Amino acid sequence: MQAMIDAVIPALGDAMSTVGVKGDFWRNMLGRSKESSQGDLALPCFPFAKQLDCSPNEAASRIADALELDIGEAVAVGPYVNIRASLSWLSNQINREPQSKGSILIEHTSANPNGPFHVGRARNAVLGDTFVRMHRAAGYDVTAEYYVDDMGKQVGILCWALENLDHERVHALLDEGGISSETSPHSEKQDHARVLWYQAANLLKAQDATVDSGVTELVQLSEEANADVLNRFESSYQPVLDGMLQTLGRMGINFDSFTKESRFIVDGSVEIVMEKLQSSELHGVAENGAHYLELESKGVKGKSTQFFYRRGDGSSLYATRDLAYHQYKWTQSDRLLNILGEDHKLQSRQVGIALDELGIKPPEVVFYAFTKLADGKMSTRRGNVVYMDDLLDEAQARALETVRESKPDLSEEKLVEIAEAVGISATRFNIARISPEKGITFRWSDALSLEADSAPFIMYSYARACSIQRKAGVVDAAFEFDPNLLEGSAAALIRRLAYMDDELQTAIDSRSPHNFCAWLSALAVDYNRFYRDNYVIDDDGVNAQNLYISELAREHIRRGCEAVGIIPIEEM
RNA sequence: GGGCGGUUAGGGUAGUCUGGAUAUCCUGACGGGCUUCGGACCCGUCGACGCGGGUUCGAAUCCUGCACCGCUCACCA
């Protein structure tokens, strides 16, 4: 749409001066039409009426008459000028070579490696990976980054538990605390096995003070970069992290780089950051020697406006290491994007201000609201969770039922493969299609829905197009596409395809992957309508033009699926 | 108490930044079509902007008050 606005503005400028409108305030009044039947762009003419001393309707028709467009036509309808792009102009917008758009490092997920992935954490991963994919599809050079929290309390508790509790003790504690210690179908995965130790230690903490003191000691040593403790931490969490990454990999979510938090203690950069902050005008020191920045003058409000970055004992805090981490990330990429839960909003703002004090550019951030269960918040510690591994298994099982019904002659192996693709895609799409700032209440029925505004609908359209291609063969090289002859659903489909790059870029810029998901669904609907009205293969054989259009749509659906993490399969 | 987000048909959801013509899409209910290129399809009807003021020719959109929900205000991560 932006390309079209850019193409229309000069001609519209001429028309405005012809009819006598002064200024250029009309430039950002040009908006997208609400109804496609009214064209692509619309210009409301109420404000011109006064200037031209005529009615809005009259202003609209004068402007429409004066407007000479080479990309389409303009018609006055009531007080609006509606502009419709020609099909030939639109089809020239299709399949443009993507230009290189520079590098971006997207940090997402970065969950504490203390237990299996649950559906709350999944929103970060799905959203983050969707951003990664959309940026790649649009021509950015993307690094997908996972920040490994390899020190601090969570990992400390896990390590302490593994070193101090045996199997019997763990199960006794869990039984007593009302947390299920049943063997899950995934108990061979270390994230599922070890989370029980983590949960048990959290329960024991309430009744036995030696847990806290033990953990605190470990954490302190880790913050002093004690190599022995960091190694013990790593052997505690790495198998858990591997299990989590296995789950993510199953969902098609992979990372290019992992950075450990401890790195910034070990290499001394945190210490340097803390020293630099002392020269900030915001710097202050508490009674016991702790250092902070006073952020009140920066507009931070609340009970406390102090941002502590050094404890009384001289050690750093998580947020301090985050500063060093961002400094490091800027050496890796032109742009930085973080995907964070809304609980990190204040923290992120504080870090942004502190970075600014250090002369380091703050990252861009996307926040998302929480996913909660119908009966409350999710918590790994308390065992009130739905694990992703279980959700994915269930999604696959449900999809398998459907696939088996519609494709009884396929091999069991093939059926499972299709069901897995459908289950994964549906699960991801059900998260990605919701606006990030909106809260989600997890319900099995919604999460597993295979109908409606769903991934399988899009996948089915793709499979259908693939099937047609298999029967019709490739487009004849001699065929020349003439979009001007198209009408109805075929024209609507071309129109939809023409906006793909625009929709993708807009979704990236406005950080609304859900809008691109909606575009993709709409494309699938348009393809189904085209399919209904136009035969690629009929009694006379293959219709070259319809095959050409079908293939164009197929390619775009495939690209769209890859950009949102739907697995495009050729048969389902 | 302060800050930040949310509230749109029975359920879910887009649009709010940048005010504009009939508020998007799915589901649901009701009715219809095609069903020899793959029916996990297509078409029609019904049904919603939390409440109250204000600004404007015009408000879901901007301002303001209120209500409800979520997050947050650590020398935790």
Side-chain angles (χ1 to χ4, degrees), chain A residues 15-91:
Chain A
M16 287 299 177
S17 50
T18 304
V19 300
V21 173
K22 297 192 171 56
D24 63 354
F25 64 98
W26 46 267
R27 278 170 179 264
N28 49 22
M29 289 175 54
L30 200 55
R32 161 179 225 150
S33 294
K34 290 201 170 161
E35 296 251 340
S36 58
S37 64
Q38 287 158 336
D40 300 285
L41 296 177
L43 180 73
C45 296
F46 301 90
F48 310 129
K50 199 170 277 179
Q51 231 188 84
L52 300 179
D53 193 29
C54 66
S55 70
N57 292 28
E58 173 65 19
S61 62
R62 283 193 210 170
I63 291 167
D65 286 345
L67 190 52
E68 289 179 25
L69 290 174
D70 45 15
I71 70 156
E73 56 178 9
V75 182
V77 178
Y80 294 86
V81 176
N82 290 332
I83 299 171
R84 175 183 296 276
S86 68
L87 285 168
S88 57
W89 184 81
L90 284 169
S91 57

Side-chain angles (χ1 to χ4, degrees), chain A residues 116-117 189 191-192 242-253 388-389 392:
Chain A
F117 232 81
K189 283 181 75 207
D191 48 343
H192 287 268
D242 289 342
M244 295 163 72
L245 293 173
Q246 192 184 329
T247 305
L248 289 166
R250 183 179 174 189
M251 295 177 19
I253 300 173
M388 214 53 211
D389 288 320
L392 295 178

Side-chain angles (χ1 to χ4, degrees), chain A residues 137-199:
Chain A
Y140 293 85
D141 176 18
V142 183
T143 302
E145 158 92 2
Y146 192 117
Y147 187 44
V148 182
D149 203 347
D150 69 332
M151 48 189 292
K153 198 166 271 180
Q154 308 307 322
V155 172
I157 292 172
L158 179 69
C159 178
W160 184 91
L162 289 165
E163 291 181 354
N164 291 281
L165 301 178
D166 60 21
H167 183 272
E168 281 173 19
R169 188 80 199 282
V170 165
H171 284 263
L173 283 163
L174 292 176
D175 288 345
E176 191 187 323
I179 294 179
S180 166
S181 61
E182 274 177 44
T183 311
S184 93
H186 302 286
S187 56
E188 83 289 353
K189 283 181 75 207
Q190 283 304 302
D191 48 343
H192 287 268
R194 294 191 178 198
V195 73
L196 302 181
W197 266 255
Y198 174 79
Q199 289 165 334

Side-chain angles (χ1 to χ4, degrees), chain A residues 113-115 149-166 170 194-199 201-202 211 214-219 221-222 226-240:
Chain A
N114 58 357
D149 203 347
D150 69 332
M151 48 189 292
K153 198 166 271 180
Q154 308 307 322
V155 172
I157 292 172
L158 179 69
C159 178
W160 184 91
L162 289 165
E163 291 181 354
N164 291 281
L165 301 178
D166 60 21
V170 165
R194 294 191 178 198
V195 73
L196 302 181
W197 266 255
Y198 174 79
Q199 289 165 334
N202 271 294
V211 179
V215 171
T216 302
E217 193 189 343
L218 286 172
V219 170
L221 288 166
S222 77
N226 181 296
D228 172 55
V229 169
L230 287 177
N231 282 335
R232 279 154 65 197
F233 276 13
E234 184 165 341
S235 49
S236 304
Y237 76 74
Q238 192 62 51
V240 177

Side-chain angles (χ1 to χ4, degrees), chain A residues 515-531:
Chain A
N515 285 332
F516 187 71
C517 290
W519 174 85
L520 186 57
S521 291
L523 170 58
V525 170
D526 283 334
Y527 181 72
N528 285 332
R529 289 175 183 156
F530 163 79
Y531 165 83

